[in-house]
Amino acid sequence: MQITDVRVRIVRKNDSKLKAVASVTFDDCFVIHDIKVIEGNEGHFIAMPSRKTSDGEYKDIAHPIKTETREYLIKEILSAFEVELAKPQEE
């Protein structure tokens, strides 16, 4: 399975740890929306789309099962995030 497209929308709120939202397409036939890029204490990380359960916990709706797939996904999203950050801001 290959990632064939990554789209990142930068979130420009000064007081938010949420820095971007990404959509990732696999093999030009399956897409996952609402993957968050979050600023943490040790750098940026991603959070998969989730929903709040009745007991207040958040559960992922979709997520990689294998470590290699997770690492591949993180690398591709954060690379696309850096490219978007480097672009000049539109006024």
Side-chain angles (χ1 to χ4, degrees), residues 1-5 24-31 72:
M1 178 170 58
Q2 295 297 312
I3 293 174
T4 51
D5 189 34
V24 178
T25 304
F26 297 89
D27 294 334
D28 289 321
C29 65
F30 185 81
V31 66
Y72 174 47

Side-chain angles (χ1 to χ4, degrees), residues 1-9 20-27 35-37 44-46 64 67-85:
M1 178 170 58
Q2 295 297 312
I3 293 174
T4 51
D5 189 34
V6 178
R7 296 179 188 227
V8 175
R9 182 177 49 86
V21 179
S23 295
V24 178
T25 304
F26 297 89
D27 294 334
I35 301 171
K36 296 170 190 72
V37 177
H44 293 100
F45 64 93
I46 68 166
T67 301
E68 298 84 15
T69 306
R70 177 172 294 277
E71 290 170 355
Y72 174 47
L73 187 62
I74 291 168
K75 180 178 134 309
E76 294 295 316
I77 292 172
L78 293 182
S79 292
F81 170 67
E82 293 297 329
V83 168
E84 285 299 311
L85 273 183

